[in-house]
Amino acid sequence: MTSFRTVRDSMGELQVPADALYAAQTQRAIDNFPVSGQPLPAAFIRALLNIKTAAARANGELGVIPADIAAAIADAAQTLLADESFMQHFPLDVFQTGSGTSSNMNANEVLATLASRSLGQEVSANDHVNAGQSSNDTIPSAIHTAAAVLIAQELLPALDHLQRAIAQQSEVVGHIVKTGRTHLMDAMPLRMEQALGGWRTQILQNIRALKAQQPLLQSLAQGGTAVGTGVNAHPQFSLLFLHELSGLIGLKMTRAENFFTHMSSQDVAVAVSGQLKTTAVSLMKIANDLRWMNSGPLAGLGEIELPALQPGSSIMPGKVNPVIPESVAMVAAQVMGNDTTITIAGQSGSFELNVMLPLVARNLCESIQLLANASRLLANKAISGFRVNEAQIEKALARNPVLVTALNPVIGYLQAADIAKTAYRDNRPVLDVALEKTDIPRAELERLLDPALLTGQS
């Protein structure tokens, strides 16, 4: 049976598991919020522990807390981060107090326990670990820090990998001319490199947009404490804290232009989420193009063949499905849903504090990580490995009645339309019908209707 120990906070005594590193306030939150069973993301907790490390070092240097206690707190946080199982100590549900105070105190209590053990004397969760801080500036700072690190270390490299994979595949298949489609209907031809180039530019635009948002994401509310005034924080705390944190995470973190803005609103997170949604839209577009091009193999377009990764049916032998594009499309849908939630949460700032911070943290981190994972899957297991069915593409291209568009300047729209309708009705090549209905020599028609020449130069 589980053994317990008695702990106390400002509300009185209660029991916590004897081997738990946390204490009373964490246990109260465990008891109060049995909602989803979902803890806050590991990336957020990592950011929170790095914030506690930086705060302890800054407070130690400023003499706000004794140097040995500051060092013990910082060492405890970094020891936890080096332990792959550190999340076991942070069990609190996402759907907790809207300020994230429970999670802030969870971190404070765990670090106080570890620091007390290492020093052989009591370290206070509030007076030492939380010195110069409030949940109200710490949690917004952890949201920004976690998202900035995930974008820099996970999403941007994954998107860059994806655009490189598209570019490499374009070098292999880019010369092939295929039927273009608008409204899902046959349109003028284009080269594969042009189609893939459209995808690649979408990804590059998302990379540029995400990079443009990083400076605001890397600005922090830390130092504003309870309402933005900085009460109980040393005047030099914020600057020293930012120096320490920047060194810990490898990103240049800066002081918020206005503490009140960063604490009372989540406008930066909403804006970043909006760009994540745009990235999701781009990935869904690419995924759906791949699904359509792969459709068949006999009754669909059959332009490409995606890598066969697993059996596609429990009842139809030999069926293989476009599982990676489907997975990516579901990720995109989830990110779009997360963005709607973050938008609603972002407007939930009343006066000096937003009160849906844990939800913002959870959804923002999840969206970034999902997009990073999906981008790598799309690159490695779909884009890089698809094979082009040139015979199928050429067959469809030769009978594409829309090629007659090239004759518009020579014979006019109405006569060209008549040729297209006849070619489609009789299932004949446009060239053959045009020979019958115009006086244009065959050699000239072959030149005018050459699909490769109709793709232009860009």
Side-chain angles (χ1 to χ4, degrees):
M1 295 180 63
T2 303
S3 59
F4 293 87
R5 72 180 195 276
T6 301
V7 293
R8 171 183 289 275
D9 63 6
S10 61
M11 296 185 71
E13 294 183 347
L14 75 165
Q15 300 290 300
V16 303
D19 59 351
L21 296 182
Y22 53 76
Q25 290 205 41
T26 303
Q27 186 62 52
R28 292 190 192 281
I30 291 172
D31 296 341
N32 287 336
F33 306 112
V35 181
S36 69
Q38 300 176 32
L40 280 156
F44 174 83
I45 300 299
R46 288 190 198 98
L48 186 56
L49 290 173
N50 276 319
I51 283 170
K52 295 300 177 182
T53 302
R57 290 175 178 173
N59 282 322
E61 186 172 343
L62 293 167
V64 173
I65 60 177
D68 59 342
I69 291 179
I73 294 168
D75 289 346
Q78 293 304 300
T79 298
L80 273 177
L81 287 171
D83 182 355
E84 292 184 358
S85 63
F86 75 94
M87 282 297 293
Q88 67 179 304
H89 306 298
F90 301 92
L92 298 189
D93 202 285
V94 170
F95 300 94
Q96 54 173 276
T97 173
S99 62
T101 296
S102 297
S103 285
N104 183 46
M105 284 308 303
N106 184 182
N108 290 338
E109 289 178 345
V110 168
L111 295 177
T113 298
L114 291 173
S116 297
R117 289 178 182 177
S118 68
L119 283 178
Q121 67 181 76
E122 183 178 356
V123 174
S124 169
N126 291 90
D127 297 333
H128 296 136
V129 184
N130 201 58
Q133 305 150 67
S134 165
S135 301
N136 300 351
D137 61 350
T138 298
I139 299 302
S141 294
I143 292 172
H144 277 217
T145 301
V149 169
L150 280 175
I151 289 173
Q153 296 182 0
E154 298 288 339
L155 182 53
L156 287 175
L159 290 173
D160 184 62
H161 178 65
L162 175 57
Q163 69 86 12
R164 289 177 186 275
I166 295 171
Q168 290 169 1
Q169 181 68 306
S170 183
E171 290 179 3
V172 176
V173 304
H175 64 283
I176 299 170
V177 178
K178 67 184 290 288
T179 298
R181 292 180 180 82
T182 58
H183 305 272
L184 293 180
M185 305 298 287
D186 296 345
M188 294 299 289
L190 74 161
R191 299 188 301 276
M192 288 289 292
E193 66 182 353
Q194 293 169 319
L196 270 65
W199 299 347
R200 181 170 180 253
T201 298
Q202 283 184 277
I203 301 306
L204 289 171
Q205 288 172 344
N206 282 296
I207 290 172
R208 288 193 292 268
L210 285 165
K211 286 181 176 178
Q213 291 191 334
Q214 281 288 74
L216 266 181
L217 199 53
Q218 290 171 216
S219 65
L220 303 184
Q222 203 72 50
T225 65
V227 296
T229 60
V231 64
N232 289 352
H234 190 284
Q236 298 302 311
F237 170 77
S238 180
L239 293 178
L240 283 175
F241 165 84
L242 290 167
H243 173 75
E244 292 290 346
L245 183 62
S246 298
L248 286 167
I249 65 175
L251 293 176
K252 178 63 177 176
M253 308 305 282
T254 62
R255 179 177 168 137
E257 178 182 358
N258 188 305
F259 285 151
F260 300 97
T261 300
H262 272 36
M263 293 166 60
S264 64
S265 77
Q266 280 293 298
D267 289 357
V268 174
V270 171
V272 171
S273 178
Q275 181 52 49
L276 296 174
K277 178 181 70 175
T278 303
T279 304
V281 168
S282 297
L283 292 184
M284 184 174 275
K285 195 276 182 190
I286 295 169
N288 283 333
D289 281 355
L290 287 167
R291 291 172 62 226
W292 276 106
M293 293 164 69
N294 181 76
S295 62
L298 299 179
L301 298 181
E303 291 184 342
I304 67 170
E305 183 181 330
L306 289 166
L309 299 176
Q310 62 187 59
S313 173
S314 62
I315 189 172
M316 293 176 282
K319 191 171 188 291
V320 178
N321 298 328
V323 292
I324 297 300
E326 289 172 353
S327 173
V328 171
M330 286 190 285
V331 163
Q334 182 64 56
V335 171
M336 294 172 197
N338 284 351
D339 176 66
T340 298
T341 301
I342 289 171
T343 300
I344 295 169
Q347 61 81 48
S348 299
S350 299
F351 301 110
E352 280 66 59
L353 182 67
N354 181 285
V355 290
M356 289 195 182
L357 295 177
L359 188 58
V360 173
R362 183 259 185 201
N363 282 22
L364 197 62
C365 290
E366 180 183 73
S367 290
I368 298 168
Q369 193 68 68
L370 284 174
L371 289 172
N373 294 344
S375 295
R376 292 193 180 278
L377 280 178
L378 191 62
N380 295 339
K381 295 191 174 185
I383 298 290
S384 295
F386 75 74
R387 182 186 65 81
V388 176
N389 187 346
E390 294 190 57
Q392 177 70 9
I393 285 178
E394 290 171 2
K395 178 181 177 182
L397 193 60
R399 295 186 177 276
N400 182 3
V402 181
L403 292 177
V404 78
T405 303
L407 301 182
N408 284 357
V410 180
I411 62 176
Y413 181 91
L414 290 178
Q415 188 176 1
D418 179 57
I419 292 172
K421 290 176 182 178
T422 301
Y424 180 74
R425 183 192 66 213
D426 298 344
N427 193 26
R428 297 171 61 198
V430 170
L431 177 63
D432 292 349
V433 178
L435 278 170
E436 295 176 358
K437 290 181 174 286
T438 72
D439 297 328
I440 304 172
R442 184 181 187 91
E444 180 65 7
L445 281 174
E446 288 177 345
R447 185 187 68 81
L448 290 171
L449 297 174
D450 183 349
L453 294 179
L454 295 177
T455 63
Q457 300 300 316
S458 60

